[in-house]
Amino acid sequence: MLDTQLILKLVASFAIGSIPFAVVAMWGSGTSIRNIGSGNPGFNNVLRFDKRRALVALIGDLAKGFVPIWLFYGPEYYINIAWLFGMGAVFGHCYSPWLRFQGGKGVATSAGAMLAMYPGVAALSLAFFVPVRVLGGRFKIKEIGAWASLLTWVFFTVVIHLLSGMPHTKYAALMTVFLIWRHKSNIGRMLERGTES
């Protein structure tokens, strides 16, 4: 029997995730996020244009992953339901109906879900991400934002496996695989020779 309340919460998670904060962050600039940089409606692309606007996009995208779990997940559910709420938000971000189902890559929103479910491991993962991102940028490694994000999710999955075991690991691994798939174009550019221009 279908749990109507759970379905409504999943739909709400998708709806929250679908809010295009990268587009909102660009309001008043006279520029569409789809017409600059990579054209991707996400934090990294806004960062190419304006750091303050990028901060708005980052906070909004993180909140999209955090809020559904914070609102809807409770002791009556197993951890897989928390992951469903998180994935619902990430799907909303990646396939936003406000953007004709052409959304962002899902990294910041998935990080918000990570923070809601495993705050300690999320903090450890951030400590991993920052030096990878900074050092990679210093050495002008191609697509370093994508590299750092995906490597951080791999790191997160390994740590979750060591600390929490297989039931948690399989959901983290599923999210990691999905994010890698969303970054397939970035991965193609990563494998090209040279560094960032």
Side-chain angles (χ1 to χ4, degrees):
M1 185 176 179
L2 293 175
D3 185 334
T4 303
Q5 188 178 45
L6 177 58
I7 292 172
L8 289 174
K9 289 177 179 179
L10 288 171
V11 171
S13 297
F14 180 89
I16 291 169
S18 74
I19 301 169
F21 279 103
V23 174
V24 172
M26 296 297 290
W27 284 352
S29 69
T31 302
S32 168
I33 190 63
R34 307 310 294 268
N35 296 328
I36 61 173
S38 66
N40 180 58
F43 157 73
N44 272 316
N45 201 30
V46 181
L47 186 60
R48 293 183 172 103
F49 181 81
D50 185 285
K51 290 182 179 178
R52 287 177 296 180
R53 292 178 184 274
L55 183 61
V56 173
L58 177 61
I59 292 172
D61 285 351
L62 284 169
K64 292 192 305 189
F66 184 94
V67 168
I69 296 169
W70 177 70
L71 280 178
F72 304 137
Y73 181 65
E76 71 273 23
Y77 295 127
Y78 292 113
I79 189 64
N80 63 315
I81 300 300
W83 278 99
L84 280 178
F85 294 148
M87 285 297 295
V90 172
F91 272 49
H93 175 80
C94 295
Y95 306 105
S96 173
W98 304 107
L99 302 174
R100 299 182 181 179
F101 300 97
Q102 299 292 320
K105 299 295 176 66
V107 170
T109 303
S110 65
M114 179 199 299
L115 180 62
M117 289 184 285
Y118 309 95
V121 183
L124 188 61
S125 298
L126 178 62
F128 175 87
F129 171 83
V130 171
V132 173
R133 180 67 177 85
V134 171
L135 289 173
R138 186 166 296 176
F139 286 100
K140 299 186 182 300
I141 295 174
K142 269 193 171 185
E143 299 291 337
I144 185 56
W147 267 122
S149 299
L150 296 178
L151 287 173
T152 299
W153 262 98
V154 172
F155 173 83
F156 172 81
T157 302
V158 170
V159 174
I160 284 295
H161 180 67
L162 294 174
L163 296 180
S164 303
M166 186 53 68
H168 300 258
T169 305
K170 64 183 179 182
Y171 301 117
L174 181 63
M175 181 74 85
T176 301
V177 170
F178 176 73
L179 293 174
I180 290 172
W181 180 78
R182 286 292 296 172
H183 283 81
K184 56 187 182 293
S185 60
N186 301 78
I187 292 170
R189 290 191 292 272
M190 289 175 193
L191 298 177
E192 294 173 359
R193 290 187 175 184
T195 58
E196 291 278 18
S197 60

